Amino acid sequence: MDFTPTEEQTAAQGLAAQIFGDLATHERLAAAGTGTDSELWKELCAAGLTAAVEEIGLLGLVLLLEEQGRTTAQVPFVVTCAYGLLAIAEHGTDEQRERLLPPLRDGTAVATGAFPARDGLRADGEGRLSGSVPYVPWLRGATLVLVADADRVLWIVRTADPGVAVTPVETTAPWSAARLALDRAPGERLGGPAGRTGAGTSTGTDSATGTAAYGAVLAASRTAFAGLQAGVCAGSLARAVAHTTTREQFGRPLSTNQGVLLRAADAHMDTEAIRVTAYEAAWRRDKGLPFAAQALTAAWWASEAGKRVVHAGQHLHGGTGADLDHPVHRHFLWGRQLDAYLGCGSEVLEELGQLLVKEGSL
């Protein structure tokens, strides 16, 4: 395995770091509230970073998301890339790619995903979907939603279509989230015609193909969000290091205390574990290798280690960390949201165990 970024990936990461660093300031984030920073989103798309994801792959996307996580920039970058660009590029038909990808590349369309699959979401024989998802990140500004029904078939739903209701909800992290309710809403099967034989059923071939696509998109999304968590944790730790090296107690910096050093060192090792497992999963996906187990491993580290790091970051700030307006608190909120999204640690670990048993690895 060689996780050394390519020249293109390095250039894209450097550009992303510059844009996020310049525009995702604490003042702008505070002014944005829970909404999306539309100016920053336009800047990212105009710089070609969304379009570049198809070329630099999932590993390249993970590198870009690290930079977003460092600043907790409020843009629908991860969802548009994971549920839109990469999902459609890999699993869509030629016609779907030609029609749907250009507006996603230039930012005129925003995608998100109603993941993971839910038993209450059903598609009838006409490809109309009914059911609800209580929480979908960045749904308020989305034009397309990748929906996974109870049979794990993937559908593209347009938020402006009849039968689609979007109701804003507030979560711990300001991700412009909303509740998605579908009432016989028209859906477009990702990958082509549904091949439905009846309400809620599909042919064996269609079912197997749909399940495979769902698994691949879910694994890629978990890897992408793990990359985002790596950035969130790195940003939290950087703020804690800056605070403890400048804040003095009893005539010396807090960073000279052994307890502070050990806590920061543990947080650094946890952050590196999230990063390297995300890199491995993304690298394997880009090389065309099986990566489901690696994606689950990255998701587990992102959940379990991620919450330890953001708790440590807030704790190392002392009383300042309890200030809801302090930048480190935003990292705490993002870290806890990412801890549970797409499966908390115990759920992911159970799924990983089942996968290993199924593959005969145990």
Side-chain angles (χ1 to χ4, degrees):
M1 293 180 289
D2 183 4
F3 304 149
T4 304
T6 65
E7 184 177 343
E8 292 78 10
Q9 290 170 337
T10 301
Q13 184 181 22
L15 180 58
Q18 179 181 343
I19 294 174
F20 284 126
D22 290 344
L23 295 183
T25 62
H26 174 58
E27 292 73 22
R28 285 175 60 90
L29 289 168
T34 60
T36 295
D37 188 333
S38 57
E39 182 180 342
L40 173 55
W41 178 240
K42 290 178 182 177
E43 188 71 22
L44 290 169
C45 296
L49 288 176
T50 47
V53 169
E54 294 172 75
E55 297 296 327
I56 62 178
L58 184 56
L59 180 55
L61 175 59
V62 166
L63 295 172
L64 301 185
L65 292 173
E66 280 192 71
E67 301 305 326
Q68 179 185 1
R70 290 179 199 275
T71 58
T72 60
Q74 292 173 199
V75 287
F77 193 46
V78 60
V79 286
T80 293
C81 293
Y83 297 126
L85 286 161
L86 292 182
I88 294 171
E90 182 175 2
H91 304 288
T93 64
D94 290 340
E95 189 277 332
Q96 286 175 330
R97 287 192 286 268
E98 182 178 354
R99 172 169 46 90
L100 299 174
L101 289 179
L104 290 171
R105 292 176 186 136
D106 63 24
T108 54
V110 174
T112 187
F115 273 65
R118 296 181 180 275
D119 291 338
L121 272 176
R122 292 287 178 179
D124 62 19
E126 299 176 352
R128 293 186 173 274
L129 290 92
S130 298
S132 64
V133 180
Y135 159 72
V136 179
W138 282 289
L139 178 59
R140 295 182 212 172
T143 52
L144 303 175
V145 187
L146 188 63
V147 175
D149 68 15
D151 296 325
R152 299 192 172 186
V153 174
L154 299 180
W155 302 85
I156 301 169
V157 174
R158 291 162 181 78
T159 55
D161 281 348
V164 180
V166 175
T167 306
V169 297
E170 299 299 335
T171 64
T172 54
W175 288 358
S176 298
R179 178 179 184 270
L180 178 67
L182 305 175
D183 183 11
R184 288 185 50 79
E188 177 183 353
R189 169 78 175 268
L190 181 64
R196 293 274 169 173
T197 59
T201 63
S202 60
T203 66
T205 301
D206 288 333
S207 178
T209 303
T211 300
Y214 168 79
V217 172
L218 179 59
S221 301
R222 280 172 164 159
T223 304
F225 276 95
L228 185 63
Q229 180 76 303
V232 169
C233 291
S236 174
L237 182 58
R239 292 188 181 280
V241 169
H243 176 79
T244 56
T245 54
T246 56
R247 178 85 169 184
E248 292 190 358
Q249 188 177 58
F250 304 116
R252 62 179 186 176
L254 288 172
S255 59
T256 60
N257 295 320
Q258 187 178 43
V260 172
L261 290 171
L262 292 174
R263 191 79 185 275
D266 286 343
H268 172 73
M269 293 305 296
D270 274 337
T271 301
E272 288 302 300
I274 301 170
R275 177 182 288 117
V276 73
T277 52
Y279 284 4
E280 181 185 6
W283 177 85
R284 290 182 64 89
R285 183 266 184 192
D286 291 344
K287 292 296 183 181
L289 300 171
F291 73 107
Q294 287 75 20
L296 286 166
T297 302
W300 183 85
W301 276 103
S303 175
E304 293 296 312
K307 61 188 174 188
R308 287 198 297 265
V309 173
V310 295
H311 273 269
Q314 195 169 35
H315 188 198
L316 289 173
H317 277 76
T320 305
D323 183 357
L324 300 184
D325 295 324
H326 194 279
V328 77
H329 186 65
R330 188 177 293 108
H331 288 270
F332 174 78
L333 296 179
W334 278 59
R336 289 314 309 257
Q337 191 70 44
L338 287 165
D339 158 35
Y341 181 59
L342 297 180
C344 65
S346 58
E347 293 172 324
V348 169
L349 190 61
E350 180 182 6
E351 189 175 340
L352 176 59
Q354 293 172 347
L355 176 62
L356 294 178
V357 169
K358 183 179 179 180
E359 293 180 346
S361 299
L362 293 180

